[in-house]
Amino acid sequence: VYSQTHFLQIGARYEAAANAELEVANCTLQQGGSGIHLLVGGTTPPTTAATAPTLRVVENGIVKCDTLRIGNKGHSNDGRLPVFPTLAVTNGTVEASFSVKVGDTGDSLVQPHVYLGANAQLVAKGTSASAGIEMGNNSYLEVADGGLLKGNGVSTRGLYLTYKTCGEAHVLRGGRIAVPYISSDPNYADTSKQFNFFFNGGELEFTADNGCSIVSLPLNRVLTLEEDGLAMIVDAGKRHTFTLPVRGTGAFAKRGAGECVFVPGREYRGNVTNELGFVTAGWSGLSTVEEGALTLVAGAATNTLAVKVLDGAVLQIDGAQTIGAVSGGGTVRGAGTTPVALGCQVS
């Protein structure tokens, strides 16, 4: 165990240490205390060569800190070059007692990357209003092969997309994101910023009861389901409301004994709210309710949505709804005046 009680910054001076790297393997790095940060990347991009300061955690390595920052604010003037602050974890654990921040609201030259591979965990344990996992400007996240990105189940931010958030998150081959919900501040919306989640055999677990995933500019924060799609997990006794647009042709599976509710999306621009409708517009993959319940609030689905309801699972259709084929041996419950003519049990 290596204990370090002050700020630790990897690649603080870009010109002096172009590709500074710290590797933690077969040991524990216990860094800092309350309010003491572990930073990957400096404050000013270089002028002579692009750099990639890196924290690498492998071979049962463990890093514990208060706040982990991957990428710091930079300045895009004076002919400076890009910097790629990187966290790469395989067979290791990084645990922040307060928060994890990937990127910032700074310029386009700071482009942070986070890779979580096999048996990797990146955990933010904080519970206060400013804790959780925050994605910022030009951030790239990849969670694959059983890797896990986890936010505390009672955090008021969950996975927080700042108003400057742009970039991509790829969740692949059994990788999982487990957070209370996905959120952002509706009062600070930058219409030029696009952030896309891509799921291809990945999982998204919502851990808070009565949580609601709702973001500013939902058309700029989109879930795209690729070939092997997404498994959305809500555990027993919990209910999660989901408003982000879903796109692509990949499959969707609702897992866990809890309830997931799709409601029409809303677009926030400052204090103005516009109803967008159709969480599932542009998504043509098969939706399977494997466990628990999937509820479609009026206007959430389109006729491109095909649903298979497995034995013991429930599809709840509330209000006027237009959906495609429904099959399986589960239960379909219809509310409102619209008939539900389906090939499985109706109650």
Side-chain angles (χ1 to χ4, degrees), residues 291-303:
E291 302 172 285
L294 175 65
T295 297
L296 303 177
V297 172
T302 71
N303 58 10

Side-chain angles (χ1 to χ4, degrees), residues 1-2 18 25 29 42 51-52 81 91 96 101 108 112 131 147 201 207 264 285 290 347:
V1 177
Y2 173 72
L29 169 62
T51 64
L81 299 170
N91 295 312
K101 297 189 176 187
S108 60
T207 57
E290 296 184 4
S347 65

Side-chain angles (χ1 to χ4, degrees), residues 299-321:
T302 71
N303 58 10
T304 62
L305 180 64
V307 184
K308 185 175 184 178
V309 187
L310 301 189
D311 290 352
V314 176
L315 174 65
Q316 176 77 36
I317 302 176
D318 288 346
Q321 199 74 247

Side-chain angles (χ1 to χ4, degrees), residues 19-87:
N19 287 300
E21 180 174 312
L22 173 63
E23 182 173 287
V24 179
N26 295 307
C27 67
T28 297
L29 169 62
Q30 178 72 57
Q31 187 272 328
S34 179
I36 306 300
H37 294 186
L38 169 57
L39 301 111
V40 181
T43 56
T44 304
T47 57
T48 57
T51 64
T54 299
L55 171 61
R56 193 180 308 278
V57 184
V58 296
E59 298 176 14
N60 302 310
I62 299 172
V63 173
K64 295 184 178 182
C65 60
D66 177 78
T67 294
L68 173 64
R69 298 183 69 103
I70 309 299
N72 209 348
K73 290 182 179 179
H75 305 279
S76 57
N77 54 5
D78 300 330
R80 299 189 184 278
L81 299 170
V83 60
F84 305 97
T86 300
L87 170 67

Side-chain angles (χ1 to χ4, degrees), residues 36-190:
I36 306 300
H37 294 186
L38 169 57
L39 301 111
V40 181
T43 56
T44 304
T47 57
T48 57
T51 64
T54 299
L55 171 61
R56 193 180 308 278
V57 184
V58 296
E59 298 176 14
N60 302 310
I62 299 172
V63 173
K64 295 184 178 182
C65 60
D66 177 78
T67 294
L68 173 64
R69 298 183 69 103
I70 309 299
N72 209 348
K73 290 182 179 179
H75 305 279
S76 57
N77 54 5
D78 300 330
R80 299 189 184 278
L81 299 170
V83 60
F84 305 97
T86 300
L87 170 67
V89 187
T90 304
N91 295 312
T93 300
V94 178
E95 183 179 289
S97 59
F98 185 67
S99 67
V100 173
K101 297 189 176 187
V102 182
D104 212 305
T105 57
D107 65 79
S108 60
L109 293 181
V110 180
Q111 301 173 25
H113 287 64
V114 174
Y115 299 95
L116 304 177
N119 301 312
Q121 292 192 28
L122 174 58
V123 182
K125 300 178 69 176
T127 61
S128 72
S130 56
I133 301 166
E134 181 177 304
M135 303 297 292
N137 204 29
N138 301 298
S139 49
Y140 178 89
L141 169 68
E142 183 175 307
V143 187
D145 303 317
L148 172 65
L149 175 67
K150 184 176 182 180
N152 193 297
V154 295
S155 170
T156 56
R157 278 194 170 190
L159 179 59
Y160 182 74
L161 308 179
T162 72
Y163 73 99
K164 287 284 189 180
T165 296
C166 62
E168 296 180 358
H170 293 258
V171 188
L172 316 168
R173 302 184 302 274
R176 177 184 292 199
I177 295 177
V179 291
Y181 42 76
I182 299 171
S183 66
S184 65
D185 191 333
N187 296 312
Y188 298 95
D190 187 335

Side-chain angles (χ1 to χ4, degrees), residues 103-292:
D104 212 305
T105 57
D107 65 79
S108 60
L109 293 181
V110 180
Q111 301 173 25
H113 287 64
V114 174
Y115 299 95
L116 304 177
N119 301 312
Q121 292 192 28
L122 174 58
V123 182
K125 300 178 69 176
T127 61
S128 72
S130 56
I133 301 166
E134 181 177 304
M135 303 297 292
N137 204 29
N138 301 298
S139 49
Y140 178 89
L141 169 68
E142 183 175 307
V143 187
D145 303 317
L148 172 65
L149 175 67
K150 184 176 182 180
N152 193 297
V154 295
S155 170
T156 56
R157 278 194 170 190
L159 179 59
Y160 182 74
L161 308 179
T162 72
Y163 73 99
K164 287 284 189 180
T165 296
C166 62
E168 296 180 358
H170 293 258
V171 188
L172 316 168
R173 302 184 302 274
R176 177 184 292 199
I177 295 177
V179 291
Y181 42 76
I182 299 171
S183 66
S184 65
D185 191 333
N187 296 312
Y188 298 95
D190 187 335
T191 59
S192 68
K193 302 298 183 181
Q194 180 84 29
F195 189 88
N196 286 311
F197 295 88
F198 295 91
F199 285 86
N200 194 344
E203 298 177 345
L204 179 57
E205 179 180 6
F206 293 112
T207 57
D209 190 22
N210 290 320
C212 179
S213 286
I214 188 167
V215 299
S216 60
L217 298 175
L219 293 182
N220 287 29
R221 281 87 170 94
V222 174
L223 269 71
T224 299
L225 307 189
E226 299 178 314
E227 183 178 0
D228 292 325
L230 160 68
M232 189 175 290
I233 303 167
V234 182
D235 289 333
K238 296 179 179 178
R239 186 175 191 265
H240 189 85
T241 301
F242 190 79
T243 67
L244 280 69
V246 181
R247 303 289 183 263
T249 58
F252 168 88
K254 159 63 183 65
R255 294 177 183 163
E259 180 184 10
C260 180
V261 183
F262 281 176
V263 303
R266 295 180 177 180
E267 183 174 29
Y268 291 88
R269 296 179 185 271
N271 292 317
V272 178
T273 302
N274 299 313
E275 294 284 349
L276 295 175
F278 300 142
V279 172
T280 64
W283 168 32
S284 58
L286 174 66
S287 175
T288 303
V289 188
E290 296 184 4
E291 302 172 285

